[in-house]
Amino acid sequence: MTVAAAAASAVQSMTGADRLCDALLAHEVDVCFANPGTSEMHFVAALDRQPRMRCILGLFEGVVTGAADGYARMTDRPAVTLLHLGPGLANGLANMHNARRAHSPMINIVGDHAVEHLPLDAPLTSDIDSLARPMSRWVKRIADPVRIDQDVADAWSQSMAPGISTLILPADMAWNEHSYRSAPVRGKRLPQTPLVQEMVVRIGAAIRTKRKVVLMLSGGALREHPLRIADNIRRSAGVEIYAQGANGRIERGRGRAPIAKLPMTHEIGIEMLRGADMVVLIGAKEPVSFFAYPNRPGRLAPPNCEIVQLAGPDQDLVQALEWLADEVNAPNEPVAVAPFAVPAPTAGPNAALTVDMVNRLVAARLPDQAIVCDEALTSSGFFDYSYDAAPHDYLQITGGAIGIGIPMAAGAAVACPGRKVINLQADGSGMYTLQGLWTHARENLDVVTIVFSNRSYATLWGEMSKVGAQTPGRNAQRMLQLDQPELDWSKMSQGLGVEAGRATTLSEFSRALDAALARRGPYLIEAMV
Amino acid sequence: MTVAAAAASAVQSMTGADRLCDALLAHEVDVCFANPGTSEMHFVAALDRQPRMRCILGLFEGVVTGAADGYARMTDRPAVTLLHLGPGLANGLANMHNARRAHSPMINIVGDHAVEHLPLDAPLTSDIDSLARPMSRWVKRIADPVRIDQDVADAWSQSMAPGISTLILPADMAWNEHSYRSAPVRGKRLPQTPLVQEMVVRIGAAIRTKRKVVLMLSGGALREHPLRIADNIRRSAGVEIYAQGANGRIERGRGRAPIAKLPMTHEIGIEMLRGADMVVLIGAKEPVSFFAYPNRPGRLAPPNCEIVQLAGPDQDLVQALEWLADEVNAPNEPVAVAPFAVPAPTAGPNAALTVDMVNRLVAARLPDQAIVCDEALTSSGFFDYSYDAAPHDYLQITGGAIGIGIPMAAGAAVACPGRKVINLQADGSGMYTLQGLWTHARENLDVVTIVFSNRSYATLWGEMSKVGAQTPGRNAQRMLQLDQPELDWSKMSQGLGVEAGRATTLSEFSRALDAALARRGPYLIEAMV
């Protein structure tokens, strides 16, 4: 018997919390975004005994889950979150919703009362299982310390499917000691649903005979390699290709195929799909409008358009595209696009800053291998200028649950030290999880936050006019305007430990951006637009 | 036919949103704490046409629901909240959890996609019904515009039971027009469960024969009148009386019976109930410890102690106490307590500020009819000094979901213009919903926020030592300390539009408190303790 074998077979006595920690590490889950409470203290103590686990505090659970999402988008593997009973989970649900829509792997550990304490209905008691299910792919309540290895293996397998796994950890499951014979073993990945070859043949035939075929890409199909295949199919076979309206991650910039997103705005989406005979889904969902409006269809493709799924987000999207490229005899050529010089702002340096100027300058000065988080919403525009910018990753809000930008930037920065993260942040949305700036400071993350300060829920003003309220009265103004008082993002940021500056003109913004890009560590620019 | 009758029988055509608004107003629900989104725009437009409804924006839904809780605690009637689909509801759940534990009436309107849009699974789609149920007493999805009157009447009746009613409003139910024959009619209150006279007799017998009988009060039993009855029973019959560990509202201060709270800390609670033969619940729950610990009972009363419920929170608590007073022949006398002069701080004016000094000074200088919100947690202490302070209302965190203080203070101030609101706020908890300070500023609410800045999750340091981790390592410190960087509450507050000052010595705090109490409108004192 070798020493290693002896060690492996030695019986170890440890708490369930320690075992849980070891089992997570056996799956290379070694980053824990946390906001713990009393019921999780034994797990906190276990984490404290395991320096391999990097624990990162968020001062609100929306920061915790949003950071786990950003981390997963950049690593394709889960971080673990640590959440405090039902309310802690509830606070994290909105960004779990975004993560779910981004197909991000994530493992949540939610503490609960000890099994015998639960029926006493102490103040913090709530129905955690029911709260977890709507945003989770898989929910399990740890009920047997002997099975913790298997529970973690299952949680990991399900998260890589991909999706959100939520493990509920009763306090006594964490604190009780048990004997374990061997080290935790890594779980297996769930088998992927195989692609259907006949579907490829059918789509190939349509491409050869139909007038307008549209490939809709999302998920893993938006990385550099599959994007190039899709672009080759586009050029040789005459199809159109779009990314879904909202995606977890797009590899973008010079050398990558410059895909456009299909807007989920009703009018524009319908116009772009007008005349389509077939829409092929490759990791994407059928294109629909973001919201419904009276007497307008929710589906964006024409009524007689065929919608076919070549591959879902849990299937091999690269192989799907390779098969389709073979089927239509697409060549394998490098991406060739006309160079696109981001047009310089036309206004003078002392002109009042505009959304467009900010987006142009960021695109023009983007550092190589930057990670761009986009929760700019009505201040969007960067994406239109970015296809020939320096190569970068583009992460956007996916589920419409505002408040993802600041946390997602934190998670991306943790995932990719050495790369600059730029967060394009709408002000109303940024307010949802501004606490995340403190985590930027605490971990000295290399994140530049650019807040588009327009002092209103600008999205909603547009919607108000759509419902026929042309001259909003006091109540509408009180619910849609963020002035009176105006938010001072510089002061809030400084209060949270992140240096900040305000820019009201083009030259001020330009200087602030240069300074922020030249340094390392967090900085916030309040762009008064 | 009179003019009024003609008007009443006239057929009115209006949108479901307008009808919903009218029906709420028919129940005197005339304050709407809101954070709307696109799917709620028709309801926003309806609110805009109804100036009788006061709409108050929170920049995060935890502010919205926490404010509705504070409003309900001070008015005993529901405000309506306006929340944006599943994520908006999710963000509000933690403070709904506190409201549920405070037995606060509340009506939530949660927008959802139009009925035909829902199956398209657009990005913001989620299972709202499942998310709502754990924190709601009653959940209903509006499915028929003709029934909106009845839905609102039911929501109101259930909220007054008391509890949280959640009405899900699909967008098309809001935008479609219908004809209504008459004005909405106010719903009826649900019949209260009658008290059981035999229970009073049984408790009376126990009081006469048992060694130690404890009355546990909560909910409506903690107002001035029932407190006086309970105190008369205490003095004449020799029982002990306690308030539950956490309660929605206590009428307290000079002239009110100085009830103590039964701590939910395991050791102290058990000690206080040692030797009890009977615990009588009057609007309270059986006393249990807040959290479980290994090998310690969760129930605080001795194993052989009888637990009897005289009246639940939905029953007539005043009558229950009156019957019991009659049964034991308690006199009806005014409260007489030895005057309690809050001891002056013993340290000199330049001594470093302590938690105790803050709590003493606030109690000593409390304005008449102040409303005190208490989320001080480890910085508690005010309650011990407050029984002979100026008459006031005392509102505390009830469900352990941190982040209630700032929003609750907003709601209480909206409910009671002309009364000073003082929020005693732990710093870690305050960070959960600091966005609420903006609402203080926006509505010019007369709230003084006192932040106990101790730069740590101090509760958890205590718990860490209980689990045997005497020398916490890096991971524990990274999860429990709020330093590196330190939060600057003054700057954050100013950034949110609320004037603020920092106090590090007794004299600085004393001056800041005097100034804050002398003015009207929001102010924040960062007490460095």
Side-chain angles (χ1 to χ4, degrees):
Chain A
M1 195 185 234
T2 65
V3 175
S9 70
V11 174
Q12 276 190 294
S13 181
M14 59 173 77
T15 66
D18 281 311
R19 188 65 176 189
L20 177 56
C21 195
D22 286 355
L24 288 165
L25 287 167
H27 292 84
E28 288 169 34
V29 178
D30 55 8
V31 170
C32 176
F33 295 101
N35 190 289
T38 298
S39 42
E40 293 79 52
M41 291 317 285
H42 288 84
F43 188 53
V44 167
L47 293 166
D48 202 31
R49 287 187 284 268
Q50 261 299 3
R52 271 181 65 205
M53 188 70 83
R54 179 175 176 189
C55 295
I56 297 173
L57 177 61
L59 297 188
F60 177 72
E61 290 87 353
V63 176
V64 169
T65 54
D69 184 14
Y71 178 90
R73 294 196 199 190
M74 292 311 301
T75 59
D76 296 319
R77 59 198 181 88
V80 61
T81 73
L82 175 50
L83 306 169
H84 184 46
L85 295 102
L89 169 64
N91 286 333
L93 285 174
N95 274 337
M96 283 170 61
H97 176 83
N98 285 319
R100 179 169 74 100
R101 294 295 184 183
H103 306 297
S104 296
M106 188 184 296
I107 298 176
N108 301 306
I109 306 291
V110 185
D112 198 3
H113 286 307
V115 172
E116 290 195 356
H117 203 64
L118 208 48
L120 302 186
D121 196 34
L124 260 168
T125 309
S126 66
D127 181 357
I128 298 177
D129 308 69
S130 293
L131 289 169
R133 269 184 218 110
M135 306 310 184
S136 303
R137 175 189 170 93
W138 181 88
V139 178
K140 176 84 192 283
R141 177 174 284 271
I142 295 178
D144 177 359
V146 178
R147 277 190 53 87
I148 282 180
D149 289 5
Q150 189 59 50
D151 289 341
V152 172
D154 291 344
W156 181 84
S157 301
Q158 293 286 339
S159 79
M160 294 298 286
I164 297 174
S165 296
T166 300
L167 263 176
I168 302 166
L169 175 65
D172 49 344
M173 294 298 139
W175 77 50
N176 283 334
E177 290 211 8
H178 297 273
S179 295
Y180 298 92
R181 292 211 165 267
S182 53
V185 176
R186 186 169 175 149
K188 288 194 168 53
R189 295 187 65 147
L190 299 181
Q192 280 190 321
T193 310
L195 298 168
V196 179
Q197 182 77 54
E198 294 76 48
M199 184 63 82
V200 178
V201 175
R202 185 171 144 213
I203 295 165
I207 289 176
R208 283 184 293 269
T209 58
K210 301 276 190 183
R211 197 163 44 87
K212 178 169 175 173
V213 174
V214 175
L215 308 188
M216 289 287 307
L217 275 52
S218 193
L222 296 172
R223 304 290 167 87
E224 181 168 356
H225 175 58
L227 269 178
R228 193 181 70 222
I229 305 172
D231 198 53
N232 274 309
I233 297 172
R234 177 186 67 82
R235 281 190 289 160
S236 67
V239 302
E240 297 184 17
I241 64 171
Y242 292 112
Q244 192 174 265
N247 310 277
R249 176 177 167 196
I250 304 180
E251 290 186 346
R252 191 160 173 88
R254 210 161 299 134
R256 280 102 179 242
I259 197 165
K261 291 182 287 182
L262 188 87
M264 303 186 81
T265 316
H266 190 273
E267 299 80 356
I268 307 174
I270 284 200
E271 190 52 40
M272 288 171 76
L273 291 181
R274 190 177 299 282
D277 302 296
M278 178 183 271
V279 169
V280 180
L281 308 177
I282 305 168
K285 294 171 66 81
E286 178 186 349
V288 299
S289 69
F290 206 91
F291 289 109
Y293 298 93
N295 306 317
R296 292 192 243 172
R299 295 190 151 90
L300 299 180
N304 55 352
C305 174
E306 198 179 359
I307 314 281
V308 296
Q309 184 178 58
L310 173 56
D314 58 335
Q315 291 181 286
D316 189 334
L317 303 178
V318 174
Q319 187 173 72
L321 281 161
E322 283 171 344
W323 282 7
L324 187 58
D326 284 349
E327 178 67 25
V328 299
N329 296 312
N332 182 6
E333 291 173 0
V335 168
V337 289
F340 174 80
V342 176
T346 51
N350 293 319
L353 194 59
T354 66
V355 167
D356 187 58
M357 290 176 196
V358 171
N359 284 316
R360 282 173 198 240
L361 276 188
V362 172
R365 299 187 189 166
L366 204 64
D368 193 48
Q369 297 303 322
I371 299 166
V372 177
C373 299
D374 187 351
E375 194 179 32
L377 305 178
T378 54
S379 297
S380 286
F382 166 82
F383 192 81
D384 298 330
Y385 295 126
S386 65
Y387 80 79
D388 198 40
H392 64 281
D393 283 278
Y394 175 82
L395 319 182
Q396 60 179 142
I397 178 172
T398 45
I402 59 176
I404 183 70
I406 295 169
M408 182 163 68
V414 169
C416 303
R419 295 177 65 178
K420 195 76 169 180
V421 179
I422 298 177
N423 177 33
L424 301 168
Q425 183 61 62
D427 57 353
S429 303
M431 281 305 296
Y432 269 52
T433 47
L434 77 161
Q435 301 96 334
L437 290 171
W438 182 85
T439 301
H440 293 188
R442 163 76 136 213
E443 302 291 328
N444 194 32
L445 301 177
D446 198 9
V447 179
V448 180
T449 304
I450 299 172
V451 174
F452 292 91
S453 174
N454 64 16
R455 282 86 74 197
S456 79
Y457 287 135
T459 302
L460 302 186
W461 279 119
E463 299 291 337
M464 267 303 272
S465 65
K466 285 191 196 167
V467 307
Q470 301 303 335
T471 51
R474 178 180 160 83
N475 269 342
Q477 294 194 23
R478 299 295 280 181
M479 286 191 283
L480 307 186
Q481 281 298 96
L482 305 188
D483 56 354
Q484 297 177 355
E486 290 197 356
L487 294 163
D488 185 329
W489 273 92
S490 300
K491 276 200 172 146
M492 290 189 287
S493 182
Q494 289 159 9
L496 288 154
V498 171
E499 278 188 70
R502 176 177 283 194
T504 57
T505 65
L506 178 56
S507 65
E508 282 173 8
F509 179 77
S510 176
R511 276 200 306 276
L513 182 62
D514 282 345
L517 294 178
R519 53 185 274 167
R520 281 184 62 90
Y523 193 78
L524 181 141
I525 304 173
E526 184 178 23
M528 308 302 284
V529 294
Chain B
M1 196 184 233
T2 65
V3 175
S9 70
V11 174
Q12 277 190 294
S13 181
M14 60 173 76
T15 66
D18 281 312
R19 189 65 176 189
L20 178 55
C21 196
D22 287 355
L24 288 165
L25 286 168
H27 292 83
E28 288 170 37
V29 178
D30 55 7
V31 170
C32 176
F33 295 102
N35 189 289
T38 297
S39 42
E40 293 77 52
M41 291 318 286
H42 287 84
F43 188 53
V44 167
L47 292 166
D48 203 30
R49 288 187 283 269
Q50 261 299 4
R52 270 181 65 203
M53 187 71 82
R54 179 174 176 190
C55 294
I56 298 173
L57 177 61
L59 297 187
F60 177 72
E61 289 87 353
V63 176
V64 169
T65 53
D69 184 15
Y71 177 90
R73 294 194 198 191
M74 291 311 302
T75 60
D76 296 319
R77 58 197 181 89
V80 61
T81 73
L82 175 51
L83 306 168
H84 184 46
L85 294 103
L89 169 64
N91 286 333
L93 285 174
N95 274 338
M96 282 169 63
H97 175 83
N98 284 320
R100 179 167 74 98
R101 294 295 183 183
H103 306 297
S104 296
M106 188 184 298
I107 298 175
N108 301 306
I109 306 290
V110 185
D112 198 2
H113 287 308
V115 172
E116 289 195 358
H117 204 65
L118 208 49
L120 303 186
D121 196 34
L124 260 167
T125 309
S126 67
D127 181 356
I128 298 176
D129 308 68
S130 292
L131 289 169
R133 269 183 218 110
M135 306 309 185
S136 304
R137 175 189 170 93
W138 181 88
V139 178
K140 177 83 191 284
R141 177 174 284 270
I142 295 178
D144 178 359
V146 177
R147 276 190 51 88
I148 282 181
D149 289 4
Q150 189 59 49
D151 289 341
V152 171
D154 290 345
W156 181 83
S157 300
Q158 293 285 340
S159 80
M160 294 298 288
I164 296 173
S165 296
T166 300
L167 263 176
I168 302 167
L169 175 65
D172 50 344
M173 294 297 140
W175 75 50
N176 283 334
E177 290 211 7
H178 297 274
S179 295
Y180 298 91
R181 291 209 167 267
S182 53
V185 175
R186 186 168 177 150
K188 288 195 166 53
R189 295 186 67 146
L190 299 180
Q192 280 190 322
T193 310
L195 298 168
V196 178
Q197 182 76 53
E198 293 76 47
M199 183 64 79
V200 178
V201 175
R202 186 171 144 212
I203 295 166
I207 288 175
R208 282 184 292 270
T209 57
K210 302 273 189 184
R211 198 162 45 87
K212 178 168 174 173
V213 173
V214 175
L215 308 188
M216 289 288 306
L217 274 54
S218 192
L222 296 173
R223 305 290 169 87
E224 181 168 355
H225 175 58
L227 269 177
R228 193 180 71 223
I229 304 171
D231 198 54
N232 274 310
I233 297 172
R234 177 187 68 82
R235 281 190 287 161
S236 67
V239 302
E240 297 185 17
I241 65 172
Y242 293 112
Q244 193 173 264
N247 310 277
R249 177 178 167 195
I250 303 179
E251 290 186 346
R252 192 159 173 87
R254 210 160 298 134
R256 280 100 180 245
I259 196 165
K261 291 183 289 183
L262 188 86
M264 304 185 80
T265 316
H266 190 272
E267 299 80 356
I268 307 175
I270 286 202
E271 189 53 41
M272 288 170 76
L273 292 181
R274 190 177 300 283
D277 302 295
M278 177 183 271
V279 169
V280 180
L281 308 177
I282 303 168
K285 293 170 67 80
E286 178 186 349
V288 299
S289 70
F290 207 91
F291 289 108
Y293 298 93
N295 306 316
R296 291 193 242 171
R299 295 191 152 89
L300 299 180
N304 55 351
C305 173
E306 196 180 1
I307 313 282
V308 296
Q309 185 178 57
L310 174 56
D314 57 337
Q315 292 181 285
D316 190 334
L317 303 178
V318 174
Q319 187 172 73
L321 281 160
E322 283 172 343
W323 282 6
L324 187 58
D326 284 349
E327 178 67 25
V328 299
N329 297 312
N332 183 7
E333 290 174 358
V335 168
V337 289
F340 174 80
V342 176
T346 49
N350 293 318
L353 195 59
T354 65
V355 166
D356 187 58
M357 289 177 197
V358 171
N359 285 316
R360 282 174 199 241
L361 276 188
V362 172
R365 300 190 188 164
L366 204 64
D368 192 48
Q369 296 304 322
I371 299 165
V372 177
C373 299
D374 187 351
E375 193 181 31
L377 304 178
T378 53
S379 296
S380 287
F382 166 81
F383 192 81
D384 298 329
Y385 295 125
S386 65
Y387 81 78
D388 198 41
H392 64 281
D393 283 279
Y394 176 82
L395 319 181
Q396 60 178 144
I397 178 172
T398 45
I402 59 176
I404 184 70
I406 294 170
M408 181 163 68
V414 169
C416 302
R419 295 178 64 178
K420 195 78 170 179
V421 179
I422 298 177
N423 176 34
L424 302 168
Q425 183 63 61
D427 56 353
S429 304
M431 281 305 295
Y432 269 51
T433 46
L434 78 161
Q435 301 95 334
L437 290 171
W438 182 84
T439 301
H440 293 189
R442 162 76 137 216
E443 303 290 328
N444 194 31
L445 302 176
D446 198 11
V447 179
V448 180
T449 304
I450 299 172
V451 175
F452 292 91
S453 174
N454 63 16
R455 284 86 74 197
S456 79
Y457 287 134
T459 303
L460 302 185
W461 279 119
E463 299 292 337
M464 267 304 271
S465 65
K466 285 191 195 167
V467 307
Q470 301 303 334
T471 51
R474 178 180 160 82
N475 268 341
Q477 294 194 22
R478 298 295 281 181
M479 287 191 283
L480 306 186
Q481 281 297 97
L482 306 188
D483 56 354
Q484 298 178 356
E486 290 196 357
L487 295 163
D488 185 329
W489 273 93
S490 300
K491 275 198 173 147
M492 290 190 287
S493 183
Q494 289 158 9
L496 288 155
V498 171
E499 278 188 70
R502 176 177 284 193
T504 56
T505 65
L506 177 56
S507 65
E508 282 173 8
F509 180 77
S510 176
R511 276 199 305 276
L513 182 63
D514 282 344
L517 294 178
R519 53 186 275 166
R520 281 184 60 88
Y523 193 79
L524 181 140
I525 304 173
E526 184 179 22
M528 308 302 284
V529 294

